[in-house]
Amino acid sequence: MSLEESFKSLSLDYLNLLINGQAFSDVTFSVEGHLIHAHRCILAARSLFFRKFFCGPDPPLAISEHPIRISSPSSNSQKHEPRPTCGERGCWHTHCTSAVDLALDTLSAARSFGVEQLALLTQKQLASMVEKASIEDVMKVLMASRKQDMHQLWTTCSHLVAKSGLPPEILAKHLPIDIIAKIEEIRLKSSIARHSLAPHQHHHHQHHLHFDLEDQKIRRMRRALDSSDVELVKLMVMGEGLNLDEALALHYGVENCSREVVKALLELGAADVNYPAGPAGKTPLHVAAEMVCPDMVAVLLDHHADPNVRTVDGITPLDILRSLTSDFLFKGAVPGLSHIEPNKLRLCLELVQSAAFVISREAGGNGGAAIYPPMNSEVNNNMVSLSLDSREAMNRHGSQGSCDSPMYSHDF
């Protein structure tokens, strides 16, 4: 048997003893009312804290009749409120607030009990997490790294906060004055370094630096939107001068986020609801129409999205929905259309068509934009209110969503 095989066999034998827990345990801990059976030699080998604890002047009995109660140092201080768990649907918990909090708690326990290997692994994990975490979580890790003298983690976090562009008055809500002074010092050194470049290098460097910083802002903005953290996006707009239109924030939100996130974005008042994106010039409403998403269509129309705005090729959101309806009716088997739900397509078409009709009426009837007649008798001259929540509208039309409904007998 080779040396590697011998070690593997030994570790498996130990593992079997550990699994058997109580039978071979020589110490028992009480943790929040639960009994945990452990082994002194393994604890002493891995933790300096337990090595000193078991080798002290009055070591515990080999087999404790009464469980040992040991509190982590963090629990000896003020009582903390229970941390919220991440309920974000689809979150992988790689850099969300709950994942950062768990890593910080693990790090604190590892440092307190002298489990240095675990502490080093957790520090490495946190250094990776903060690259993608929200700026609030970065500041949280920054504070922890300062308290526990973790210089590398401190350096990483302090530079991330410095690059965030958040002004001192906003940082003051999260950080003490001396740390803010350090952040400003980092910013000053960075500024001096940029200005000390040779003239022929300076413009080239500034050009790339600008786009690097903008890319970083956009990535952070998207991570914030993925986490429904519109408040962070607001901070970026206020403190970093983030341009929501150039960052295509609404387009990204419509494609990847919930109706509530898009609504909150629109309510910031810093984004143009009709901003054309890319070479095609699609607005968020074009994107929502292509997705056949009534929720997004309704909230965009609520915030004055223009149903008559055209792409570079002259296509309006209404054109997209009418084309999809025609394809769905007459080419239902075409690949790529199987995901379309009749109810949603019907409602999107009705909402956009109604908005176009209302605008044309306000513009003076036939002299304005082209008038599209209402889809059925339910839509009277007053049309569908643009403030109508799409869920209510879905319920209202839910019984008429099949392909046999009168709506689908229209000539498009």
Side-chain angles (χ1 to χ4, degrees):
M1 181 182 291
S2 67
L3 184 62
E4 185 179 348
E5 290 173 336
S6 297
F7 279 129
K8 185 176 182 180
S9 174
L10 180 62
S11 65
L12 288 174
D13 289 339
Y14 271 121
L15 180 61
N16 288 331
L17 293 181
L18 292 173
I19 291 173
N20 212 351
Q22 190 171 357
F24 293 95
S25 167
D26 55 6
V27 63
T28 304
F29 296 94
S30 175
V31 181
E32 295 181 356
H34 298 282
L35 297 181
I36 299 176
H37 303 284
H39 308 76
R40 286 195 300 171
C41 70
I42 293 176
L43 290 169
R46 289 291 189 179
S47 167
L48 180 61
F49 174 90
F50 285 114
R51 193 179 310 163
K52 292 179 178 179
F53 179 79
F54 291 127
C55 297
D58 187 23
L61 297 175
I63 300 178
S64 300
E65 294 182 6
H66 302 288
I68 299 172
R69 289 175 173 82
I70 299 179
S71 301
S72 66
S74 62
S75 66
N76 291 334
S77 58
Q78 62 181 3
K79 188 74 176 178
H80 294 284
E81 292 295 321
R83 296 187 187 276
T85 57
C86 179
E88 185 66 24
R89 188 175 181 181
C91 180
W92 289 87
H93 308 302
T94 54
H95 55 270
C96 63
T97 297
S98 293
V100 171
D101 287 343
L102 177 60
L104 287 174
D105 285 343
T106 303
L107 178 59
S108 176
R111 293 293 295 269
S112 299
F113 292 111
V115 188
E116 287 305 316
Q117 285 184 330
L118 179 58
L120 289 172
L121 285 172
T122 309
Q123 284 183 59
K124 186 176 179 180
Q125 181 191 26
L126 278 167
S128 173
M129 293 169 80
V130 293
E131 295 290 345
K132 298 180 179 179
S134 69
I135 194 66
E136 286 91 343
D137 287 335
V138 173
M139 290 189 280
K140 197 186 303 177
V141 177
L142 177 67
M143 290 294 295
S145 65
R146 179 208 193 197
K147 290 177 182 176
Q148 301 188 41
D149 293 323
M150 295 175 287
H151 301 293
Q152 188 59 48
L153 196 55
W154 157 268
T155 301
T156 300
C157 292
S158 58
H159 279 78
L160 285 171
V161 175
K163 289 177 182 177
S164 72
L166 292 177
E169 56 268 23
I170 293 180
L171 292 178
K173 297 178 181 179
H174 305 272
L175 301 172
I177 296 175
D178 59 323
I179 291 185
I180 296 175
K182 292 285 187 183
I183 300 298
E184 290 299 301
E185 184 181 332
I186 292 170
R187 287 174 173 171
L188 179 61
K189 287 179 180 178
S190 177
S191 176
I192 292 173
R194 286 199 302 271
H195 285 88
S196 66
L197 290 169
H200 70 278
Q201 294 177 320
H202 185 70
H203 177 75
H204 181 73
H205 176 78
Q206 286 283 45
H207 178 77
H208 284 282
L209 180 63
H210 171 76
F211 283 103
D212 286 346
L213 290 175
E214 290 305 309
D215 286 345
Q216 287 178 18
K217 284 182 187 178
I218 291 172
R219 286 195 295 270
R220 285 175 47 238
M221 176 206 72
R222 291 182 174 181
R223 289 196 297 268
L225 292 178
D226 290 340
S227 303
S228 303
D229 192 354
V230 180
E231 278 301 311
L232 176 56
V233 176
K234 182 178 180 180
L235 286 178
M236 293 180 69
V237 171
M238 294 168 55
E240 302 177 44
L242 173 67
N243 187 309
L244 293 183
D245 293 333
E246 292 177 3
L248 302 182
L250 281 177
H251 293 77
Y252 183 83
V254 168
E255 285 185 319
N256 300 281
C257 304
S258 67
R259 175 186 187 275
E260 286 68 29
V261 167
V262 173
K263 184 173 184 288
L265 257 182
L266 288 162
E267 288 174 351
L268 290 180
D272 178 3
V273 72
N274 295 311
Y275 188 80
K282 292 180 181 178
T283 68
L285 188 57
H286 283 98
V287 176
E290 289 176 342
M291 292 169 58
V292 191
C293 182
D295 274 357
M296 293 302 176
V297 168
V299 75
L300 290 169
L301 291 174
D302 258 353
H303 289 80
H304 312 294
D306 186 353
N308 297 316
V309 68
R310 297 183 181 275
T311 63
V312 172
D313 295 331
I315 307 298
T316 69
L318 185 56
D319 292 333
I320 292 172
L321 290 166
R322 288 167 67 89
S323 177
L324 283 173
T325 302
S326 177
D327 288 346
F328 184 80
L329 285 174
F330 302 111
K331 307 174 188 177
V334 173
L337 294 176
S338 57
H339 68 284
I340 294 178
E341 298 178 26
N343 270 350
K344 290 185 177 181
L345 180 55
R346 172 194 176 91
L347 185 54
C348 284
L349 183 59
E350 182 177 307
L351 287 170
V352 174
Q353 184 173 263
S354 300
F357 182 80
V358 168
I359 288 173
S360 69
R361 288 284 296 273
E362 291 174 350
N366 293 333
I371 296 179
Y372 299 97
M375 292 305 300
N376 54 47
S377 58
E378 289 185 40
V379 186
N380 58 25
N381 289 334
N382 293 325
M383 307 312 302
V384 176
S385 169
L386 296 187
S387 64
L388 176 68
D389 185 273
S390 62
R391 290 186 182 83
E392 294 177 7
M394 286 288 284
N395 292 334
R396 183 166 60 84
H397 294 289
S399 61
Q400 301 179 30
S402 70
C403 291
D404 296 327
S405 69
M407 173 267 198
Y408 292 101
S409 64
H410 257 295
D411 179 12
F412 293 101

